[in-house]
Amino acid sequence: MTDTNNGHGLVQWHGTTIVGIKRGGTTVIAGDGQVSMGNTVMKPNARKVRRIGDGGSVIGGFAGATADAFTLFERLERKLEQHSGQLLRAAVELAKDWRTDKYLRNLEALMIVADKEVMLVLTGNGDVLEPEGGIAAIGSGGNYALAAARALSDYEDDAEKIARRAMAVAAEVCVFTNDQVTLETI
């Protein structure tokens, strides 16, 4: 994602490429470390992938405005507590709030979240999507990572190897993505 004016004349900071791979009994979410403000790299080693929920039972990554994404992670964590760690139910409730709440509706971020059973893409439009083929990617380099991961999945069964190579391809092509990868596995 590139810079956007937040309505106050300020350019927001953005985090970029995230890829999620679900293969066999393993799910991996990987993200690059670059945070950009406009066309400037502000931080090369940000951590955009993290564990949340009771005991880190959910992994997630974000692309978009960093402050907005942190707000969404906090809200998702509260929803997980309210719904006994059920990710799908918590994600649907978060998406409802995100779409209808005046404050949340203005947040500019996308998320990929996963637990042992399901991997989901969450959007501000109220979408809760389970990606086809167990592969999802978001952010400015998301399409590059998605294409690479889909191509690799025909030849590789290891979710982590697919994720790392897909992120490397995105970093080679997208100027808003770097090769400082953070990866979480569940």
Side-chain angles (χ1 to χ4, degrees):
M1 299 189 129
T2 57
D3 63 326
T4 57
N5 183 308
N6 67 4
H8 303 289
L10 300 174
V11 176
Q12 292 186 333
W13 295 31
H14 285 273
T16 54
T17 306
I18 304 293
V19 65
I21 311 292
K22 187 173 184 66
R23 300 290 277 189
T26 304
T27 301
V28 172
I29 297 179
D32 73 310
Q34 185 166 311
V35 174
S36 304
M37 187 165 89
N39 293 326
T40 303
V41 175
M42 299 303 290
K43 185 172 184 175
N45 60 350
R47 186 171 171 84
K48 297 180 258 178
V49 175
R50 59 194 58 226
R51 291 186 170 275
I52 60 173
D54 185 32
S57 61
V58 173
I59 56 176
F62 70 86
T66 27
D68 293 355
F70 288 132
T71 299
L72 292 169
F73 269 127
E74 289 172 8
R75 296 275 180 133
L76 179 59
E77 197 149 28
R78 278 190 247 140
K79 295 293 184 186
L80 284 165
E81 289 171 9
Q82 291 172 0
H83 299 289
S84 305
Q86 297 175 40
L87 178 58
L88 183 57
R89 181 136 185 238
V92 168
E93 292 303 318
L94 174 64
K96 285 180 190 176
D97 290 351
W98 196 352
R99 184 169 173 79
T100 58
D101 183 273
K102 278 184 172 185
Y103 169 73
L104 292 178
R105 202 173 26 219
N106 293 319
L107 298 183
E108 297 178 12
L110 295 168
M111 299 173 73
I112 297 176
V113 295
D115 64 9
K116 288 184 180 188
E117 286 83 39
V118 66
M119 180 170 62
L120 305 167
V121 177
L122 308 178
T123 76
N125 295 329
D127 299 319
V128 177
L129 308 168
E130 188 168 4
E132 182 179 344
I135 300 172
I138 56 175
S140 61
N143 287 337
Y144 306 117
L146 180 64
R150 284 187 178 169
L152 289 165
S153 70
D154 288 341
Y155 307 100
E156 179 63 62
D157 287 327
D158 186 305
E160 183 174 337
K161 286 181 181 177
I162 295 171
R164 287 190 184 281
R165 184 63 189 129
M167 288 302 298
V169 168
E172 291 170 6
V173 180
C174 178
V175 297
F176 295 104
T177 304
N178 71 13
D179 61 0
Q180 303 293 311
V181 175
T182 302
L183 187 134
E184 289 286 349
T185 303
I186 199 157

